[in-house]
Amino acid sequence: MNSSNRRNFLKNVSMGSLAAISIPHIVSAAVSADKSKKVTLKKEGVILFQGDSITDVGRKREAMDANNGAALGGGYPHLAAAHLLLKRPGDNLKFYNKGISGNKVFQLADRWDADCLQLKPDVLSILVGVNDFWHTLNGNYNGTSKVYHDDYDKLLNRTKQALPDVQLIIGEPYAVKGVKAVDDKWYPTFNEYRAAARELADKYKAVFIPYQAIYDKAIQAAPAAYWTPDGVHPSVAGAQLMAEAWLQCVK
């Protein structure tokens, strides 16, 4: 189907059919448009998810072993890990989730030795940044996009110094405007955080997941609140959307 026919098809199907049929295509289009390369999962590979509440999603922090459902939480890391563990049972992949709700970049840095470097991940996936901006709105944090960029840059450099062969995945901080927490006060400043994450992904040759574009496309299929109840945290559907995007960045 050429691009013109595809556009006509999407216009003509019902909203319900669009949601049922084309969400993987929506994700694929966003990821492909970003021209992201893929990371390679090797046998016995260790895959670590890091970030804030979008990654944490109620994980049991006392559960330390790999591939533990409680330790992986209820979000996209669990969904992505479950998919790959089903599809690749002979590879003995080991998945960990060390996201912590509320974290900003400097808080990741404070716990990085124990929660990242000591695990020696082969693939490190990081999604962080929304709190680095959001928490400035309530007066509890006075960081800027430059602080975010510089802190993140130091963290990634530290990681590559300790783990020179680690493959990086950097998720774009995202927000869905018009849903509860996300309003005009977020813009244009929040876009600076998104740009900083993309710049650092390029600098460190990381796979970049364009979550903002993915959500922007997804709301063409269902209302924004279907994907995120507050504009930031994903719903069940939003978590699957993010897992689908993550999976399209690995091979």
Side-chain angles (χ1 to χ4, degrees):
M1 182 182 294
N2 63 38
S3 59
S4 176
N5 289 338
R6 177 171 172 74
R7 283 194 297 271
N8 291 334
F9 169 76
L10 292 177
K11 288 178 182 178
N12 292 329
V13 295
S14 69
M15 186 68 77
S17 296
L18 178 60
I21 295 171
S22 66
I23 287 303
H25 299 291
I26 285 172
V27 173
S28 181
V31 172
S32 297
D34 196 67
K35 297 182 173 61
S36 293
K37 56 184 179 297
K38 294 189 177 187
V39 302
T40 301
L41 303 181
K42 63 182 184 180
K43 286 190 175 183
E44 310 290 334
V46 174
I47 300 95
L48 172 62
F49 293 93
Q50 269 289 2
D52 51 37
S53 57
I54 298 170
T55 301
D56 183 337
V57 197
R59 69 179 180 88
K60 299 285 187 183
R61 294 175 194 170
E62 64 273 16
M64 304 296 289
D65 48 320
N67 304 337
N68 182 306
L72 286 168
Y76 75 94
H78 190 147
L79 294 168
H83 176 89
L84 288 167
L85 290 168
L86 174 66
K87 296 294 185 181
R88 300 171 65 161
D91 286 351
N92 196 26
L93 299 172
K94 298 177 179 64
F95 291 90
Y96 295 90
N97 179 3
K98 296 293 182 179
I100 292 184
S101 181
N103 267 194
K104 297 173 275 294
V105 175
F106 78 87
Q107 291 163 316
L108 266 65
D110 287 345
R111 58 186 179 83
W112 209 237
D113 285 347
D115 284 355
C116 176
L117 302 184
Q118 290 180 15
L119 291 170
K120 295 181 171 59
D122 298 290
V123 175
L124 170 61
S125 177
I126 309 175
L127 172 57
V128 68
V130 67
N131 293 320
D132 294 76
F133 170 75
W134 195 359
H135 291 182
T136 67
L137 297 180
N138 59 18
N140 291 332
Y141 181 60
N142 61 358
T144 64
S145 60
K146 185 179 187 306
V147 170
Y148 168 74
H149 175 281
D150 292 349
D151 285 354
Y152 209 167
D153 192 7
K154 290 175 185 175
L155 184 70
L156 292 169
N157 182 62
R158 174 180 165 192
T159 303
K160 291 296 286 185
Q161 290 293 324
L163 303 168
D165 296 327
V166 69
Q167 298 180 86
L168 296 172
I169 299 174
I170 291 180
E172 179 184 29
Y174 68 87
V176 181
K177 189 176 178 181
V179 186
K180 289 193 176 179
V182 183
D183 55 23
D184 287 339
K185 295 193 297 292
W186 284 60
Y187 302 96
T189 305
F190 180 64
N191 293 334
E192 297 172 8
Y193 293 75
R194 295 173 46 220
R198 180 181 289 274
E199 178 187 326
L200 291 169
D202 289 341
K203 178 177 179 178
Y204 288 93
K205 297 179 172 57
V207 171
F208 183 76
I209 305 181
Y211 282 127
Q212 188 67 60
I214 289 164
Y215 273 97
D216 289 347
K217 289 181 181 296
I219 63 176
Q220 298 171 22
Y226 178 82
W227 304 107
T228 166
D230 63 1
V232 172
H233 298 94
S235 64
V236 173
Q240 183 63 55
L241 181 75
M242 294 178 70
E244 178 74 21
W246 194 94
L247 288 165
Q248 289 195 25
C249 292
V250 303
K251 61 182 180 180

